[in-house]
């Protein structure tokens, strides 16, 4: 029978003597371990980056499936006000979609702050405790999830009845998401867009139906992210005449460096005091569903064709 060794807890500094020189580089190279605890697929963008207006951040990453920007702050001690203040600065200035704070442990005070940030619905915030162990002559590490954003579930209600700028987007999108769920257009949960935007599943990675409130307009579009995915909008353009006709010639086609969008925006401006936001939500739902009905068959054909092509190449 093999010998089974016990895990012996050790000080974090026994494993990583220096936070900046040892722990941050290790974490940057082991984001898959951290991501597995958050149920996110994380990819390193850059360690030790200075963000304008937000200071120096330990790690910049992205959530692979949505390209959402992830800011990671790490420390080897118990959560403190200095790191908390930096995290609040990132929340205010970094334009990140996801914040992750990794520490030895978290005080109740700091947990309450992070939970409050999650209530705003503008950003997803995670607190993760890192633990170190010794097994015979080998050292090991593990993560424990301490704080996470609430996940939208069918029939979920708001935890608060306060109507503030912090709850504005959550209150707007809650009935819209529920309506789209009933029509089988499901939201991207973990790692999905928050705040002004909401992303919905197409069945393919880095390709989403997106609802948005931006530039004083409401938006409904298909977004394709990643340089390796830009063959998709290129293939869709072969059917542009048919797609535009079925969308009442109302579609806008936009191509960026690593993304492409096909969709519509409202003529009405959101700042109009006479505009009924329920009507805006109905417009987004109607146009997202129409976009899905029109584009999804072409999208399926493109993706299935790519898969078949790949199978043929493998066979050859």
């Amino acid at each position: 029978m093999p010998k089974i060794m016990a895990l012996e807890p050790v000080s974090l500094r026994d494993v990583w003597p220096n936070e900046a020189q040892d722990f941050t580089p290790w974490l940057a190279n082991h984001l898959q371990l951290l991501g597995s605890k958050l149920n996110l697929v994380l990819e390193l963008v850059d360690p030790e980056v200075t963000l304008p207006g937000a200071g120096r951040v330990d790690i910049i990453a992205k959530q692979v499936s949505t390209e959402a920007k992830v800011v990671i702050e790490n420390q080897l001690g118990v959560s403190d006000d200095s790191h908390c203040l930096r995290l609040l600065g990132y929340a205010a200035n970094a334009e990140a979609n996801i914040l992750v704070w990794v520490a030895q442990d978290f005080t109740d005070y700091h947990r309450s702050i992070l939970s409050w940030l999650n209530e705003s619905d503008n950003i997803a915030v995670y607190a993760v405790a890192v633990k170190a162990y010794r097994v015979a002559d080998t050292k090991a590490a593990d993560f424990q999830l301490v704080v996470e954003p609430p996940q939208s579930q069918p029939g979920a209600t708001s935890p608060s009845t306060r109507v503030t700028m912090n709850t504005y987007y959550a209150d707007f999108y809650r009935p819209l998401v529920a309506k789209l769920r009933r029509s089988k257009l499901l939201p991207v949960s973990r790692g999905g867009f928050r705040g002004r935007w909401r992303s919905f599943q197409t069945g393919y990675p880095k390709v989403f139906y997106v609802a948005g409130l931006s530039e004083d307009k409401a938006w409904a579009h298909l977004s394709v992210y990643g340089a390796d995915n830009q063959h998709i909008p290129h293939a869709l353009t072969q059917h542009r005449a048919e797609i535009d006709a079925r969308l009442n010639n109302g579609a806008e086609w936009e191509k960026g460096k690593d993304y492409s969008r096909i969709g519509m925006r409202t003529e009405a401006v959101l700042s109009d005091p006479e505009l009924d936001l329920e009507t805006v939500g109905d417009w987004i739902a109607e146009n997202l569903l129409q976009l899905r009905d029109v584009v999804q068959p072409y999208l399926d054909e493109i993706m299935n064709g790519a898969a078949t092509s790949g199978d043929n190449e493998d066979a050859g």
Side-chain angles (χ1 to χ4, degrees):
M1 182 176 178
K3 187 177 181 180
I4 299 176
M5 308 295 293
L7 289 174
E8 177 189 351
V10 297
S11 167
L12 297 183
R13 293 196 180 272
D14 286 346
V15 180
W16 305 283
N18 184 277
E19 182 178 304
Q21 298 175 15
D22 300 308
F23 185 51
T24 300
W26 177 87
L27 185 58
N29 289 320
H30 293 82
L31 288 180
Q32 75 279 6
L33 297 179
L34 176 62
S36 66
K37 291 294 181 180
L38 310 181
N39 197 25
L40 302 174
V41 180
L42 301 179
E43 180 179 301
L44 179 66
V45 174
D46 217 350
E48 299 290 349
V49 180
T50 299
L51 299 176
R56 193 166 184 81
V57 62
D58 291 324
I59 297 172
I60 298 291
K62 66 179 179 180
Q63 151 69 333
V64 172
S65 65
T66 62
E67 300 281 314
K69 185 177 182 180
V70 183
V71 167
I72 302 173
E73 174 74 1
N74 57 253
Q75 65 177 114
L76 288 175
V78 175
S79 63
D80 58 37
D81 288 345
S82 174
H83 285 82
C84 186
L85 184 60
R86 286 202 290 273
L87 200 72
L88 293 174
Y90 304 149
N93 298 293
E95 297 183 359
N97 304 102
I98 302 170
L99 292 180
V100 182
W101 186 1
V102 180
Q104 174 186 324
D105 205 351
F106 292 85
T107 66
D108 290 341
Y109 172 66
H110 294 133
R111 293 186 193 200
S112 68
I113 291 175
L114 301 186
S115 296
W116 172 78
L117 281 175
N118 276 325
E119 286 184 13
S120 73
D121 194 60
N122 290 318
I123 196 164
V125 184
Y126 296 84
V128 184
V130 58
K131 305 296 180 184
Y133 304 92
R134 180 182 291 111
V135 186
D137 295 329
T138 302
K139 293 175 181 176
D142 192 21
F143 297 104
Q144 297 176 2
L145 190 56
V146 176
V147 174
E148 64 178 322
Q151 300 301 316
S152 297
Q153 300 295 332
T157 57
S158 171
S160 171
T161 57
R162 289 173 295 151
V163 179
T164 67
M165 285 304 293
N166 282 344
T167 61
Y168 174 85
Y169 295 120
D171 291 342
F172 173 81
Y173 278 115
R174 192 171 293 108
L176 173 59
V177 169
K179 183 175 184 177
L180 292 173
R181 276 185 182 276
R182 292 193 292 272
S183 297
K184 308 303 181 185
L185 187 56
L186 304 179
V188 177
S189 54
R190 289 180 181 270
F193 297 147
R194 297 167 68 87
R196 298 181 182 185
W197 304 93
R198 286 295 183 278
S199 48
F200 299 84
Q201 302 171 30
T202 63
Y204 306 106
K206 300 184 183 181
V207 185
F208 307 101
Y209 296 109
V210 179
L213 301 174
S214 181
E215 300 175 9
D216 213 18
K217 301 283 186 178
W219 300 74
H221 55 245
L222 175 80
S223 290
V224 181
Y225 296 97
D228 57 337
N229 262 352
Q230 294 312 302
H231 67 283
I232 299 172
H234 177 73
L236 286 173
T237 58
Q238 309 305 311
H239 307 282
R240 180 167 182 172
E242 306 100 281
I243 292 173
D244 281 347
R246 293 186 62 192
L247 294 175
N248 301 319
N249 296 311
E252 299 179 6
W253 297 64
E254 177 186 356
K255 180 172 177 53
K257 181 179 178 182
D258 294 324
Y259 73 91
S260 296
R261 293 174 182 156
I262 304 169
M264 296 78 76
R265 55 179 167 175
T266 55
E267 291 295 330
V269 295
L270 301 180
S271 57
D272 182 349
E274 297 184 2
L275 185 64
D276 180 9
L277 288 182
E278 184 176 346
T279 301
V280 174
D282 290 341
W283 181 93
I284 292 177
E286 177 183 344
N287 282 273
L288 273 184
L289 292 173
Q290 182 186 26
L291 191 63
R292 179 195 60 182
D293 293 344
V294 171
V295 173
Q296 190 71 37
Y298 295 112
L299 184 59
D300 291 339
E301 180 181 347
I302 293 166
M303 301 307 289
N304 291 334
T308 302
S309 174
D311 290 343
N312 291 337
E313 290 175 4
D314 291 341

